[in-house]
């Protein structure tokens, strides 16, 4: 099983979930599916202002052929909130 590593540097999407779900839960569920996503907390100057329902999703170091598999894994991991 290939692991999808989503980097912090490079191109990324800022994901915001419509429900107030904690980003740590989302990160753990993605990790269980072999996909690494990143907390936005480390990039907020005032940590209290960081929305808990946001994540960074990087894709610049993933082969384009692997992106559909990574998306399918995230869909499975986060199906409760999609």
């Amino acid at each position: 099983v290939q692991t999808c590593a989503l980097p912090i540097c490079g191109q990324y999407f800022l994901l915001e979930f419509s429900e107030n779900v904690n980003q740590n839960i989302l990160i753990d569920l993605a990790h269980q599916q072999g996909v690494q996503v990143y907390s936005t907390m480390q990039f907020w100057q005032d940590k209290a202002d960081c929305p808990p329902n946001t994540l960074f999703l990087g894709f610049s170091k993933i082969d384009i052929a692997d992106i559909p598999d990574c998306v399918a894994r995230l869909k499975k991991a986060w199906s409760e909130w999609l």
Side-chain angles (χ1 to χ4, degrees):
V1 175
Q2 181 179 0
T3 299
C4 304
L6 304 177
I8 290 178
C9 61
Q11 298 176 344
Y12 60 88
F13 290 108
L14 175 63
L15 299 178
E16 181 177 4
F17 287 78
S18 58
E19 294 189 36
N20 193 17
V21 60
N22 185 289
Q23 59 182 245
N24 292 325
I25 292 171
L26 298 168
I27 291 167
D28 288 343
L29 291 170
H31 184 73
Q32 290 173 23
Q33 293 298 318
V35 182
Q36 188 172 2
V37 295
Y38 298 93
S39 168
T40 53
M41 186 73 67
Q42 61 187 323
F43 299 100
W44 252 252
Q45 185 170 355
D46 186 352
K47 306 295 186 216
D49 290 338
C50 180
N53 61 330
T54 60
L55 291 173
F56 282 128
L57 176 66
F59 60 93
S60 62
K61 292 187 179 181
I62 298 175
D63 289 341
I64 195 162
D66 294 332
I67 290 176
D69 178 55
C70 294
V71 171
R73 292 179 191 210
L74 290 174
K75 183 177 179 182
K76 182 177 180 182
W78 300 335
S79 62
E80 182 178 337
W81 297 283
L82 297 178

